[in-house]
Amino acid sequence: MDVLSQSFRVLGDTTRLRILRLVAQAPLNVTELVSLVGVAQSSVSHHLAKLKGLGLIREERQAGFTYYSLALESDDSRWPLVRLAREAEDAAGDSARLSDLLRAREDRQALNERLLEPGQSWFLWAGALASLLPPLDVADFGCGTGVFSRAMARWARHVWAIDQSEDALSQARTLALRDELTNITFLREDLHRLSLSGGRMDLVVISQSLHHVESPAAVVAEAARLLKPGGRLVVLELLPHEEKWVLERLGHRHLGFSPEVLEAALREAGFTSFTRETHARDGASPFRVFLLTGVKPS
Ligand SMILES: C[S@@+](CC[C@H](N)C(=O)[O-])C[C@H]1O[C@@H](n2cnc3c(N)ncnc32)[C@H](O)[C@@H]1O
C-alpha cells in the first residue's frame, strides 16, 4: 500500500508523467528527454531520480550514455498507472517529437555505419593521400580479384595486375569494368617468370601472395628486375603462425614469414632503405600482418 501511495504522489506531476510515458516507449538518455519535454537538465535528472527511487524506471549504460527505460512489469500493482499515463491526452505532442527523435537516431546510426565506420574512413584517407603521388607505373603481384589493383588504378598511371588464376583474373576484369577503370592490364602469368621487360615499374606491390609461391626469393628478384632504379617494393605478409590447415585448404606454401628473414631476402635481391611495420592483432584472428618496404638503389 505504501509503495502505491508514494507512486501516486510521485506521479502527481505532469512532467514526471510525461517522462514515464516517454521512457515506456523507448530507452532515452537525459539529453534526449530534455529536448522532448523542454525543461532544464537538472529538473529532468531530479524527476528521473524520483521515478528510479520507486523502481518505476531503470538505467542502463550504452556507448557512454545512460539510458532510462520502464522497469515495471505488467503484473505489478502499479501497472494501471503506466497504462493511464500512456492513454492520457498528449497535449504537448510528446509522441510526435519522440518519433522524430527515434528516426533521427536511426538515420545517424545508418550514416555512421555507411560513412564513418573506421574501415571506410581509413580507405578514403588512403585514397586521398595516394592522390598526392605523382602518376606511377605499378605492378600488383598476385592481384587476386584485384582489390588493390583497382584502388591503385585510381591514382596510378598504369597498373599491371598479375595472377596465375584465370578465375580470380576474370572477376578482377569484371570489377574493373564496373568501376570504369581503363588503366589496368591483366596478365595471367607465373610470378617466378614474368614476360614484362625490366626497369619499367615505379612500384611493385606484393600483398599476401608470397606465402603462396614456391620460391619467395625468386619472386622478390622478379620485383627487383621489373623496377626502375629508385623504384619501391611494398610487401604485405603474415607473421609466422601455426595454422597448418591453410596449407591444404587455402593453398599456402609458407606459414607466414619472420620480417627479419624476409628483409634479408629483399637485401639479397639488391633492395636497400627498408621500413618495417607490424599491424596490431585484429580481434581473435590467428593471423597478424606486417608491411615491409624496400628501394631499388638508383
Ligand atoms: C591471397 S591472394 C592475394 C590477393 C591480393 N593481393 C590481396 O591482397 O587481396 C594470393 C594470390 O596469389 C596468386 N598466386 C599464387 N601463386 C602465384 C604464382 N606463382 N604466380 C601468380 N600468382 C600467384 C593466387 O592465385 C592468389 O590470387
Side-chain angles (χ1 to χ4, degrees), residues 142-144 148 163-165 189-192 207-209 212-213:
C143 65
F148 280 131
D163 206 286
Q164 66 185 5
S165 157
E189 291 195 9
D190 182 348
L191 295 172
H192 297 88
S207 167
Q208 305 228 30
S209 304
H212 282 273
V213 304

Side-chain angles (χ1 to χ4, degrees), residues 38 53 71 77 89 101 115 127 147 222 260 270 273 275:
S77 62
E89 193 198 350
L101 183 143
L115 290 177
V147 175
E222 272 298 80
E260 296 76 18
S273 312
T275 68

Side-chain angles (χ1 to χ4, degrees), residues 1-5 7-8 56 72-84:
M1 200 60 145
D2 264 7
V3 176
L4 193 59
S5 72
S7 299
F8 270 118
L56 291 165
L72 275 195
E73 299 295 337
S74 56
D75 56 358
D76 191 294
S77 62
R78 295 168 296 167
W79 182 254
L81 292 179
V82 176
R83 191 165 42 79
L84 284 173

Side-chain angles (χ1 to χ4, degrees), residues 166-204:
E166 186 45 49
D167 240 23
L169 283 177
S170 111
Q171 285 185 59
R173 276 192 207 98
T174 306
L175 292 168
L177 210 62
R178 180 202 66 184
D179 292 354
E180 299 178 7
L181 295 166
T182 52
N183 58 340
I184 309 180
T185 301
F186 293 97
L187 291 176
R188 187 179 176 198
E189 291 195 9
D190 182 348
L191 295 172
H192 297 88
R193 292 167 285 278
L194 294 171
S195 63
L196 291 164
S197 52
R200 58 189 290 182
M201 300 293 169
D202 299 292
L203 173 68
V204 172

Side-chain angles (χ1 to χ4, degrees), residues 130-131 133-139 149-160 181-185 199-203 228:
S131 72
L133 292 168
L136 302 177
D137 285 336
V138 182
S149 307
R150 279 180 286 123
M152 295 189 292
R154 297 186 191 283
W155 45 262
R157 178 163 39 218
H158 200 90
V159 176
W160 282 263
L181 295 166
T182 52
N183 58 340
I184 309 180
T185 301
R200 58 189 290 182
M201 300 293 169
D202 299 292
L203 173 68
K228 294 173 183 166

